[in-house]
């Protein structure tokens, strides 16, 4: 046989062996990932989003010996914000990076196995930096979204593209920054772009092919669809009732972007997606509640039907979008969900039916509402603290300015919180800031910013902006807090070792006692941490990882706050830690 043919056959055999060696990710594995310490298979360290690990090797007594095992740079000139949560599977780390990149890294050595860099067109319009928050694993694929509103599925072993699907038109303001969610064998994704008058929605696809299964819009008045295997669509009903809570045609460009993705609870069979602000920001143009914006929407995974929805901020006028994660947990023998909303209130809802159990402030200053009515579930608005109607003044002039707290970047933004079944506390990265805000005349233009508002953000206190807070969802009390000079913009993780890990823009990854908040360890990563940490066990060793790279919305939108932190350096690396011997 010719030696070239022999060589080709040997190469093919080696490739087949490598492919066969891949451990495919199954529904059963995803359902168990929150309890399985050897892997991190989903964003949120489990589809419920608790970000809790049962591992105890690293604990309050020895965390001081935590030291760097390896780090890997994302390289190049493409730095900016790095908000990604790594996934851990089959000896590899899968981690996304700014500008729609994804890496596979050898867990033992930190060596890069492969990189995929998505070719982005000119004219992409991400509102809040060129970030990506993570990927999903299913079968032999790793799947992530891109800034030009595409989904890309790659082979976990080779990094080769298996399928690629366009979600929507990036020129109209659509993009994708969230990690996809796998639930009941379906790939669930949302869309970004609420500041450009897009229409929010949740889509379900076959994760192995990218083929659409159903679509459910999150703006009232839009039709949902189901798709057969040939791609033919069937109507499945309008979301809500056309014009019931939206005036005129404004629902056609209504926002409510599902830009943070969702969570899923197997005990309820529901997926939970937060929805963003209604468009435009000028609420005087759209009298009514504007469903389903600034809400939590619970969806039947099989059909996409809205089973219940709870609106955190009806007729939102402050960009208090409700896209934050809904984290399910057990309390008093019931299944609830907790949500730290951008509007400054923490909500506890029945996970099965959306009935409000509790709602309380988790920041010190809230000006737009005095409280949440636990009977009706509606906020008690403070009418004088809504930005004024620009049509009441001179033609083309802005409306009256009000001071509002929280600022539009929120009491909590994209940085995910954690819940510990051990302490029964939520650990919430909160920010204390306010804004001067006013409304302006605005009309929709495809691809243009669709705000109708102006604003200036400023700190509320001299000594801090960020605060990590341990919150009791039953009593509503803040059990402890740790103040931070700069805004907190990275996520949180808790462990059965009695620890809470979180990062700061000043560059530190920190570990504190979960019960007291006492700082036990910190490490300087060299750039701001705006991403959530993870942990896993390989052999007899527990590891912790976090991505470092300053950026996100604060430098772009932060006004006076941005000036306060303009000394911070950009970066792009992933760090992995383990206990040193001693």
């Amino acid at each position: 046989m010719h030696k070239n043919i022999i060589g080709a056959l040997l190469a093919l055999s080696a490739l087949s062996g490598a492919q066969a060696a891949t451990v495919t990710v199954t529904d059963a594995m995803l359902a168990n990932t929150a309890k399985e310490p050897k892997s991190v298979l989903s964003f949120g360290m489990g589809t419920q989003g608790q970000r809790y690990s049962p591992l105890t090797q690293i604990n309050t007594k020895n965390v001081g010996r935590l030291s760097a095992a390896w780090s890997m740079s994302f390289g190049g000139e493409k730095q900016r914000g790095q908000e990604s949560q790594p996934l851990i599977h089959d000896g590899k780390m899968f981690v996304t990076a700014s500008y729609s990149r994804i890496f596979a890294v050898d867990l033992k050595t930190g060596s890069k196995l492969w990189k995929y860099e998505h070719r982005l067109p000119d004219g992409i319009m991400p509102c809040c930096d060129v970030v990506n928050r993570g990927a999903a694993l299913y079968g032999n694929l790793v799947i992530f979204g891109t800034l030009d509103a595409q989904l890309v599925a790659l082979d976990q072993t080779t990094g080769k593209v298996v399928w690629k699907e366009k979600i929507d038109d990036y020129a109209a303001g659509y993009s994708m920054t969230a990690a996809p969610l796998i639930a009941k064998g379906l790939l669930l994704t949302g869309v970004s772009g609420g500041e450009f008058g897009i229409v929010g929605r949740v889509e379900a696809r076959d994760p192995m092919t990218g083929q659409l299964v159903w679509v459910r819009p999150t703006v009232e008045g839009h039709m949902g669809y189901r798709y057969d295997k040939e791609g033919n669509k069937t109507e499945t009903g309008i979301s809500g009732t056309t014009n019931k809570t939206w005036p005129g045609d404004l629902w056609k460009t209504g926002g409510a972007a599902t830009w943070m993705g969702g969570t899923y609870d197997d005990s309820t069979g529901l997926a939970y997606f937060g929805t963003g602000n209604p468009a435009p920001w000028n609420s005087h143009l759209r009298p009514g509640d504007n469903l389903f914006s600034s809400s939590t929407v619970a969806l039947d995974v099989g059909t996409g039907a809205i089973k219940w929805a709870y609106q955190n901020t009806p007729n939102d006028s402050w960009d208090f979008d409700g896209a934050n994660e809904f984290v399910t947990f057990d309390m008093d023998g019931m299944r609830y969900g907790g949500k730290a909303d951008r509007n400054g209130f923490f909500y506890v809802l029945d996970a099965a039916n959306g009935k409000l159990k509790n709602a309380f402030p988790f920041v010190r200053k809230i000006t737009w509402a005095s409280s949440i009515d636990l009977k009706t579930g509606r906020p008690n608005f403070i009418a004088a603290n809504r930005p004024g109607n620009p049509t009441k003044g001179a033609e083309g002039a802005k409306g009256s300015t009000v001071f509002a707290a929280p600022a539009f970047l929120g009491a909590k933004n994209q940085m995910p919180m954690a819940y510990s079944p051990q302490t029964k506390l939520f650990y919430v990265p909160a920010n204390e800031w306010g804004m001067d805000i006013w409304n302006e005349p605005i009309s929709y233009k495809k691809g243009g910013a669709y705000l109708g508002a102006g604003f200036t953000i400023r700190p509320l206190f001299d000594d801090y902006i960020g605060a990590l807070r341990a919150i009791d969802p039953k009593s509503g009390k803040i059990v402890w807090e740790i103040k931070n000079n700069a805004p907190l913009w990275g996520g949180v993780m808790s462990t059965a070792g009695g620890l809470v890990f979180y990062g700061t823009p000043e560059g530190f990854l920190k570990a504190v006692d979960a019960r007291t908040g006492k700082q036990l360890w910190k490490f300087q990563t060299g750039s701001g941490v705006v991403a959530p940490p993870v942990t896993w066990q390989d052999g007899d060793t527990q590891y912790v990882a976090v991505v470092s790279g300053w950026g996100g919305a604060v430098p772009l939108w932060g006004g006076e706050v941005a000036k306060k932190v303009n000394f911070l350096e950009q970066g792009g690396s992933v760090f992995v830690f383990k206990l040193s011997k001693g």
Side-chain angles (χ1 to χ4, degrees):
M1 186 178 291
H2 194 278
K3 65 180 181 179
N4 289 341
I5 297 176
I6 294 173
L9 290 173
L10 288 173
L12 181 62
S13 175
L15 179 61
S16 299
Q19 296 281 10
T22 300
V23 179
T24 59
V25 177
T26 65
D27 292 311
M29 291 166 64
L30 287 166
N32 195 52
T33 186
K35 300 176 182 177
E36 171 49 63
K38 295 181 181 179
S39 61
V40 179
L41 300 181
S42 68
F43 190 77
M45 297 174 59
T47 61
Q48 301 163 20
Q50 290 188 356
R51 298 188 174 276
Y52 173 80
S53 171
L55 291 173
T56 60
Q57 183 182 98
I58 301 171
N59 54 58
T60 56
K61 295 180 180 180
N62 61 22
V63 69
R65 294 195 283 111
L66 205 59
S67 60
W70 56 261
S71 68
M72 190 205 77
S73 171
F74 298 145
E77 298 176 357
K78 295 182 177 181
Q79 304 292 330
R80 304 282 290 272
Q82 311 292 351
E83 295 180 353
S84 176
Q85 179 217 287
L87 299 177
I88 309 298
H89 172 60
D90 195 25
K92 304 180 190 69
M93 172 186 289
F94 300 94
V95 58
T96 62
S98 58
Y99 292 97
S100 303
R101 296 172 290 167
I102 185 169
F103 298 80
V105 187
D106 185 284
L107 283 181
K108 298 284 189 186
T109 65
S111 300
K112 181 178 69 177
L113 299 174
W114 55 256
K115 174 180 75 170
Y116 170 80
E117 188 166 358
H118 188 70
R119 184 183 293 273
L120 291 169
D122 294 332
I124 57 171
M125 293 179 289
C127 92
C128 307
D129 207 358
V130 289
V131 300
N132 188 283
R133 297 185 183 88
L137 299 177
Y138 196 75
N140 66 331
L141 302 179
V142 55
I143 308 163
F144 81 117
T146 67
L147 289 168
D148 60 344
Q150 295 191 49
L151 276 169
V152 182
L154 306 118
D155 185 283
Q156 292 176 18
T157 301
T158 66
K160 300 298 183 184
V161 175
V162 176
W163 60 259
K164 186 187 298 184
E165 292 290 336
K166 177 181 177 180
I167 301 301
D168 217 305
D169 182 8
Y170 70 86
Y174 285 89
S175 60
M176 184 170 289
T177 55
L181 169 70
I182 302 289
K184 289 188 174 179
L186 291 175
L187 176 75
L188 305 185
T189 57
V191 292
S192 301
E195 270 57 64
F196 299 97
I198 60 94
V199 175
R201 65 180 187 266
V202 178
E203 294 184 345
R205 294 175 182 267
D206 181 332
M208 299 307 294
T209 66
Q211 184 179 48
L212 270 173
V213 176
W214 55 256
V215 173
R216 174 48 55 192
T218 54
V219 177
E220 186 174 58
H222 292 269
M223 180 63 71
Y225 295 96
R226 186 166 185 85
Y227 296 80
D228 64 21
K229 293 187 177 181
E230 285 70 47
N232 303 308
K233 64 182 182 181
T234 304
E235 293 182 351
T236 56
I238 289 172
S239 297
T241 304
T242 305
N243 286 143
K244 184 175 182 181
T245 67
W246 284 86
D249 289 338
L250 279 182
W251 58 275
K252 295 181 180 179
T253 52
T258 46
W259 61 269
M260 269 191 64
T263 56
Y264 168 72
D265 192 302
D266 190 56
S267 68
T268 64
L270 299 176
Y272 306 94
F273 277 74
T275 65
N277 56 282
W281 287 16
N282 182 350
S283 63
H284 298 285
L285 293 174
R286 42 175 175 77
D289 284 354
N290 312 137
L291 295 176
F292 293 91
S293 66
S294 300
S295 300
T296 299
V297 178
L299 302 171
D300 181 283
V301 173
T303 66
I306 297 176
K307 305 304 289 186
W308 61 259
Y310 178 86
Q311 192 167 40
N312 303 85
T313 316
N315 194 227
D316 181 6
S317 189
W318 306 269
D319 189 33
F320 289 154
D321 69 21
N324 286 357
E325 71 278 17
F326 185 79
V327 178
T328 53
F329 68 104
D330 292 321
M331 184 174 72
D332 297 336
M334 299 275 291
R335 195 66 168 167
Y336 291 99
K339 181 175 184 175
D341 198 82
R342 267 169 69 162
N343 68 21
F345 289 98
F346 193 102
Y347 298 81
V348 180
L349 304 177
D350 187 308
N353 57 32
K355 184 178 179 181
L356 181 64
K357 174 69 173 179
N358 202 3
F360 50 86
F362 66 96
V363 287
R364 304 297 182 188
K365 189 175 183 65
I366 298 175
T367 64
W368 67 277
S370 59
S371 60
I372 306 299
D373 189 316
L374 296 184
K375 291 183 178 180
T376 66
R378 296 182 67 83
N380 293 309
F381 287 105
I382 301 174
N385 286 337
R386 182 180 293 270
N389 188 344
T391 65
K392 299 297 184 182
E395 184 176 351
K398 69 180 185 179
S400 59
T401 300
V402 300
F403 177 77
F408 76 90
L409 288 177
K412 190 183 88 66
N413 199 282
Q414 65 85 26
M415 51 283 195
M417 63 185 180
Y419 174 76
S420 170
Q422 186 181 68
T423 64
K424 296 180 170 48
L425 299 176
F426 278 91
Y427 301 97
V428 181
N431 289 310
E432 299 279 2
W433 42 22
M435 62 181 172
D436 295 312
I437 183 170
W438 59 91
N439 285 329
E440 301 169 343
I442 188 68
S443 58
Y444 174 77
K445 181 181 179 181
K446 179 182 176 180
Y450 192 39
L451 302 184
F455 46 81
T456 302
I457 293 182
R458 46 193 170 96
L460 293 176
F461 306 111
D462 293 334
D463 59 334
Y464 77 105
I465 299 174
L468 179 66
R469 288 177 172 144
I471 292 174
D472 184 335
K474 191 171 183 178
S475 68
K477 293 181 178 179
I478 297 174
V479 178
W480 55 255
E481 70 175 1
I482 305 169
K483 295 178 180 179
N484 196 73
N485 181 57
L488 291 182
W489 210 254
V492 185
M493 173 181 70
S494 68
T495 75
L499 296 170
V500 170
F501 289 85
Y502 73 107
T504 74
E506 292 90 344
F508 289 102
L509 178 64
K510 297 184 177 184
V512 303
D513 188 299
R515 297 190 183 277
T516 67
K518 180 182 178 181
Q519 182 175 296
L520 302 173
W521 173 86
K522 67 178 181 178
F523 179 90
Q524 175 58 252
T525 67
S527 183
V529 177
V530 293
V534 296
T535 188
W536 71 96
Q537 184 167 318
D538 184 14
D540 59 358
T541 303
Q542 182 182 353
Y543 294 87
V544 173
V546 75
V547 171
S548 171
W550 170 241
V554 175
L556 300 175
W557 294 81
E560 293 301 314
V561 171
K563 295 177 184 178
K564 190 179 178 73
V565 293
N566 63 7
F567 67 94
L568 299 172
E569 301 293 344
Q570 292 186 352
S573 298
V574 57
F575 285 82
V576 173
F577 305 89
K578 67 178 181 178
L579 292 175
S580 61
K581 295 180 180 179

